[in-house]
Amino acid sequence: MFLLSIPGEPILSKRKFNIIHRRESFAMKYYSTNNANHKVDLKEAVIKGLAPDQGLYMPENTPTLPAAFFDRLPGLSFREMGYEIIGALFSEDLSPEQIKALVDHTLTFDAPLVQVEEDVYSLELFHGPTLAFKDFGARFCSKLMSMLQDKREIKVLVATSGDTGSAVANGFFGVDGVEVIILYPSGKVSQLQEKQFTTLGGNIRAIEVAGVFDDCQKMVKQAFLDPELNNKMLLTSANSINIARWIPQCLYYFYAYSRLPEKDKKIVFSVPSGNFGNLAAGILAERMGLPITYFVAATNINKVVPDYLQGEEFMAKPSLQTISNSMDVGNPSNFYRLLALFGNDESKLKEKVKGYFYTDNMTRESMLKVKSQTGYTMDPHGAVAYLGLRDFMSAHPGAFSGVFLETAHPGKFRQVVEETLAIQLDLPERLQAFMEKEKKAEKMENDYLEFKKYLLTI
């Protein structure tokens, strides 16, 4: 297993001691994107979630996987490659047994690569418990957090524009010592998404905020920086701002590459983007050696990053509501991770990542066209990614194999998909079961003081 052994030493108890000693002495440090001199260990980065200066944590070093690993990649199972990738990233902090447990808990479902058109593939990331890509990160995060926590109960604060809430709620449901509080914008997530995180009960609480996603995210960040709250309780996040949610998303980029039938062409990945954690995870995979030539950052009309990639100044804006609501983000937190992955060199970022944005009408037209011509059904987020991929490949005819990320099952956006395609979708039993449950959520104004009072009283 890569980086989980020390070459040239006998398999004796002394070797085990040396591995433990190395882990304690040279464990990976994680720095803040706002201050590279602020560094913490893995436990603090995961449990705190956000740095005190509001920066996002990044690994101090990005390991490069050896050429031999990529030669073996097509013959490895998803879990087998997961052991080696997560081992390369975390072996200085976790034992081989812990790494295996993390990967086994995370990768319990497939991520099929489906050919849609010539040289165009859909990476289906919706085969997990909540039928969305965030199941990967949420399951990894819950398992790692349970490994690292001490005896204090953790309160996990989550802002969601849709799929994060359902993935985190189901990933953490029933986990001892963890209480999850999910904030979501009233009327701006699909009914099915809402049901998936408001009907569980137990250690999962939901707050319906009179505002937009950015308001929810701002309240969560304020709580993390509130001295009174942090003196009285242990707060953390399971949004993609947390490295334990973000890093494991790199796994399915390796898996998709390994399953491409032809690798003689350059490869481009198109990622539907809102808070930009998913795209940043793909770039992390590329930094580790995965041969991805370009990335496409595909958004809806919340286009602050595409505008930036086209030469405008990065400037947060109020988010606008669209049919691809999980991408309705006007101030994407992970933008600063994108920069950090390129050493804060804007020119390198803009060379590697190309930005495109699309209206709801364009999204619907794409869904209908692909369905009628190929029979493939896309959800609105996958459709945005498909559009970005097609536009990029049209500018580079015949040169690329392209993969777009289909991040959610079409049934999670049933009304939009059925209206657009004039069909009736059969919901998977897992989704139908949520629809029959009773919603339980606290209603709250967009008021941090009200939210703080709520946290102090539960």
Side-chain angles (χ1 to χ4, degrees):
M1 189 177 294
F2 181 64
L3 286 182
L4 297 185
S5 62
I6 301 177
E9 292 189 2
I11 305 175
L12 298 172
S13 58
K14 179 181 178 182
R15 174 182 171 182
K16 292 182 179 179
F17 171 79
N18 286 339
I19 293 174
I20 293 169
H21 179 74
R22 175 175 179 268
R23 186 177 300 125
E24 291 176 348
S25 300
F26 303 104
M28 175 84 80
K29 294 296 183 181
Y30 297 84
Y31 70 91
S32 167
T33 52
N34 284 344
N35 179 7
N37 293 319
H38 172 76
K39 298 175 184 178
V40 300
D41 60 16
L42 177 66
K43 181 176 180 178
E44 185 168 347
V46 171
I47 299 302
K48 289 293 185 181
L50 192 69
D53 57 13
Q54 297 193 57
L56 277 62
Y57 285 117
M58 291 288 293
E60 189 173 26
N61 301 302
T62 301
T64 301
L65 292 157
F69 170 74
F70 293 98
D71 292 339
R72 294 186 291 109
L73 202 57
L76 298 179
S77 70
F78 203 173
R79 282 188 178 182
E80 286 171 340
M81 64 182 71
Y83 299 146
E84 301 200 38
I85 297 162
I86 297 302
L89 288 160
F90 291 105
S91 64
E92 294 173 351
D93 294 281
L94 305 175
S95 70
E97 293 76 19
Q98 287 176 311
I99 289 168
K100 184 177 186 303
L102 265 175
V103 174
D104 287 347
H105 181 78
T106 302
L107 302 182
T108 58
F109 45 91
D110 196 14
L113 190 70
V114 178
Q115 185 168 7
V116 177
E117 299 169 359
E118 184 179 0
D119 291 329
V120 173
Y121 299 85
S122 168
L123 178 60
E124 293 188 345
L125 300 175
F126 54 73
H127 294 273
T130 70
L131 284 79
F133 80 100
K134 294 178 181 179
D135 284 325
F136 291 93
R139 292 177 65 81
F140 187 96
C141 185
S142 65
K143 185 69 172 178
L144 182 57
M145 205 171 280
S146 68
M147 288 178 174
L148 297 176
Q149 71 169 335
D150 51 29
K151 294 181 179 179
R152 294 178 65 191
E153 182 177 79
I154 298 173
K155 282 185 168 55
V156 177
L157 307 183
V158 178
T160 184
S161 56
D163 284 330
T164 291
S166 56
V168 170
N170 286 268
F172 280 82
F173 181 61
V175 174
D176 291 337
V178 179
E179 185 172 39
V180 178
I181 299 98
I182 299 171
L183 289 78
Y184 71 101
S186 180
K188 294 178 176 61
V189 304
S190 76
Q191 184 183 16
L192 188 48
Q193 287 173 319
E194 185 180 40
K195 286 275 190 174
Q196 285 185 306
F197 58 78
T198 61
T199 60
L200 292 172
N203 64 324
I204 310 298
R205 296 172 179 264
I207 299 177
E208 185 176 358
V209 177
V212 297
F213 167 77
D214 297 305
D215 298 322
C216 300
Q217 184 163 255
K218 182 178 179 181
M219 290 166 72
V220 166
K221 288 183 175 180
Q222 283 181 271
F224 289 149
L225 301 172
D226 190 308
E228 182 182 3
L229 287 179
N230 283 274
N231 285 334
K232 294 186 176 182
M233 59 191 70
L234 185 57
L235 299 176
T236 189
S237 172
N239 283 78
S240 59
I241 61 175
N242 193 310
I243 59 165
R245 251 289 314 282
W246 170 61
I247 285 178
Q249 294 177 148
C250 76
L251 292 173
Y252 44 72
Y253 288 89
F254 287 92
Y255 188 62
Y257 170 79
S258 75
R259 270 41 183 179
L260 281 170
E262 298 291 340
K263 298 182 179 63
D264 56 341
K265 292 185 176 182
K266 296 176 182 179
I267 297 170
V268 55
F269 275 80
S270 181
V271 186
S273 300
N275 218 14
F276 279 82
N278 205 358
L279 177 62
I283 295 171
L284 174 65
E286 188 270 341
R287 302 284 92 172
M288 295 178 72
L290 193 65
I292 303 173
T293 307
Y294 288 107
F295 290 90
V296 170
T299 76
N300 54 34
I301 56 173
N302 294 283
K303 58 186 181 73
V304 292
V305 173
D307 284 347
Y308 163 81
L309 294 171
Q310 292 294 326
E312 295 186 22
E313 182 181 354
F314 178 79
M315 186 175 295
K317 299 177 181 178
S319 59
L320 303 171
Q321 188 170 358
T322 74
I323 61 171
S324 49
N325 64 274
S326 293
M327 302 190 294
D328 292 352
V329 181
N331 187 17
S333 295
N334 285 287
F335 171 75
Y336 298 100
R337 276 204 173 112
L338 297 179
L339 282 173
L341 286 161
F342 291 95
N344 292 314
D345 188 324
E346 293 188 347
S347 62
K348 290 182 179 179
L349 169 59
K350 292 177 180 180
E351 172 60 29
K352 194 74 175 181
V353 183
K354 307 303 177 184
Y356 299 86
F357 70 92
Y358 301 95
T359 65
D360 281 353
N361 284 339
M362 296 165 78
T363 304
R364 289 182 186 273
E365 289 170 3
S366 175
M367 293 166 64
L368 185 59
K369 180 180 177 181
V370 170
K371 179 66 173 177
S372 62
Q373 293 183 353
T374 71
Y376 190 75
T377 303
M378 302 186 297
D379 92 294
H381 305 77
V384 168
Y386 169 84
L387 280 167
L389 180 61
R390 291 305 315 176
D391 281 349
F392 176 89
M393 293 180 71
S394 294
H396 304 83
F400 286 87
S401 287
V403 179
F404 71 93
L405 273 55
E406 180 58 274
T407 52
H409 190 283
K412 297 194 77 168
F413 305 92
R414 186 176 186 176
Q415 182 176 351
V416 172
V417 174
E418 289 185 343
E419 287 177 355
T420 301
L421 304 182
I423 62 172
Q424 184 171 351
L425 288 175
D426 292 325
L427 284 183
E429 288 184 11
R430 281 176 286 175
L431 294 185
Q432 189 60 50
F434 280 109
M435 293 300 292
E436 297 168 1
K437 295 180 181 179
E438 181 183 357
K439 166 187 167 182
K440 295 179 180 179
E442 297 273 348
K443 291 197 173 184
M444 189 174 294
E445 295 299 315
N446 176 23
D447 182 349
Y448 174 69
L449 292 179
E450 185 181 354
F451 177 51
K452 178 178 177 178
K453 181 179 178 181
Y454 174 84
L455 291 176
L456 289 170
T457 56
I458 61 173

